[in-house]
Amino acid sequence: MNLPLRCTLQQQGSGQHQQRTRRWDDIPAVTPFYAGLVAVIREFSDLPITASPYLNGARKYDVSPDVIAKRTAIFAEESGIDVQIWQDSVGADAINVFGSNDTYSLYDYFAALRTVLPHFWSDNEAFNWGDDLLGGGYHPCSISRFNTQLQIVDPFVDTKVTWLQQEHFGSVSPQRFDEAEHMLAAYQALFGLGDTQKTLITAPYYYTTSPAEQYGDPMLSKLIDGVLGDPTNYANDNWVGVLGTVQVVFNVSCAQGAVMQIGWVSAHVLCAPVEAVSFPASLQLEASEDGGATWRSVGTWATPDDVGSALVRSEYVLGNTACIRGVSASATGTLLRLTLPNDDWTFLSEVEFVLVAA
């Protein structure tokens, strides 16, 4: 088994750090190595030293929470590290967030860590999973998934931080991914942040293209329940599968008296090349304010080339890349018709809406 432990040793406040990678199963070699680094740092500073292990490999090699906890206890006792900041590896290794029965969950791992670490932090990953870590869907993740990650670790940790590449996700970086603004808006809506009022909502819906019976959505709930499909398993029950193009109509509304417009729309989708499941070519959006009698185009947002051409098993959140203008959400509702063109199987598991103040 090769389960990495990545430790970032940082003299807090200095901005100086070193990174080294060793094997989790080689504890006799790992612990003295880091203990030696700690000893050197202690010659210059008494400030706390942090280490950032991750769970990457735990799912792939079926490593139990008990094994992780035992190794963590050895490392904590013998390394001299003050604070462990555990990276949840939901993006790197698809650590199970939503409780699939066939694998250990994020809750299982952090509950086990808490038994041996009275105080530790979480480092929650904000990117999608893919067989190729930086290929496929490596872009900002669904806000539903990220919020669930935060909720799961909350009872066990003292502090939560997040892993993201600033040049990929930072809203001020010219190298940022287009989806960064979308995730920022959803995060602000979820936690009531930002200068402009935003609201994260769900909306009732119906299909105009029927899902396959074995991948169906009989209760019309899978796209708005906040539970995402397992990206490693297209047969997971949280996915909805349609052979070809998907078209769904949502009734988007806001509270009586509120003046809001539809700002952001996204769909969580899957690519599984071996099973002929591919990302849709784009997300197309139309609106109707007269109950579906007439429709007008709102916009079309293509799947990025680096995502669509990667052809690796991965997940992706496809949506608009700039705030939509001119589509109001009333108390009686505005119909939005979402189309995901595809020649292969299309699998989706969540559609999210962010309303913004008009």
Side-chain angles (χ1 to χ4, degrees), residues 198-345:
K198 301 180 182 68
T199 305
L200 192 67
I201 67 161
T202 59
Y205 62 92
Y206 62 88
Y207 296 92
T208 58
T209 55
S210 298
E213 182 176 359
Q214 66 271 39
Y215 311 120
D217 185 11
M219 303 302 293
L220 294 179
S221 61
K222 289 185 181 181
L223 302 186
I224 56 172
D225 60 5
V227 180
L228 273 64
D230 184 340
T232 70
N233 180 15
Y234 76 99
N236 177 265
D237 190 53
N238 295 318
W239 289 108
V240 177
V242 176
L243 182 55
T245 294
V246 173
Q247 192 171 82
V248 193
V249 176
F250 294 85
N251 188 352
V252 180
S253 61
C254 63
Q256 185 75 37
V259 182
M260 305 290 286
Q261 64 181 4
I262 298 163
W264 302 91
V265 181
S266 65
H268 177 245
V269 292
L270 178 70
C271 179
V274 173
E275 291 85 8
V277 178
S278 66
F279 290 135
S282 63
L283 183 151
Q284 301 172 5
L285 203 61
E286 300 165 281
S288 174
E289 288 88 5
D290 56 11
T294 59
W295 294 89
R296 61 185 177 90
S297 176
V298 175
T300 297
W301 297 273
T303 301
D305 291 340
D306 67 308
V307 175
S309 63
L311 297 180
V312 297
R313 183 182 296 270
S314 58
E315 61 184 332
Y316 178 61
V317 180
L318 175 60
N320 55 301
T321 54
C323 187
I324 297 169
R325 302 295 180 185
V327 182
S328 298
S330 65
T332 56
T334 296
L335 296 184
L336 284 185
R337 185 161 63 192
L338 182 150
T339 304
L340 301 172
N342 203 338
D343 293 329
D344 299 320
W345 281 93

Side-chain angles (χ1 to χ4, degrees), residues 86 93 176 259:
W86 272 86
D93 198 34
R176 70 183 183 274
V259 182

Side-chain angles (χ1 to χ4, degrees), residues 13 23 29 59 81 97 107 131 176 203 212 241 284 317 354:
R23 291 162 54 107
R59 179 168 186 168
I81 297 294
V97 174
Y107 181 94
D131 269 341
R176 70 183 183 274
Q284 301 172 5
V317 180
V354 178

Side-chain angles (χ1 to χ4, degrees), residues 179-199:
E179 303 89 348
E181 296 292 343
H182 190 155
M183 187 178 188
L184 174 62
Y187 187 87
Q188 291 175 329
L190 185 64
F191 293 103
L193 303 174
D195 297 332
T196 304
Q197 180 187 356
K198 301 180 182 68
T199 305

Side-chain angles (χ1 to χ4, degrees), residues 43-67:
E43 295 180 10
F44 302 94
S45 175
D46 292 327
L47 291 172
I49 299 172
T50 65
S52 184
Y54 56 60
L55 291 170
N56 190 14
R59 179 168 186 168
K60 181 177 181 180
Y61 298 107
D62 195 30
V63 184
S64 73
D66 183 59
V67 168

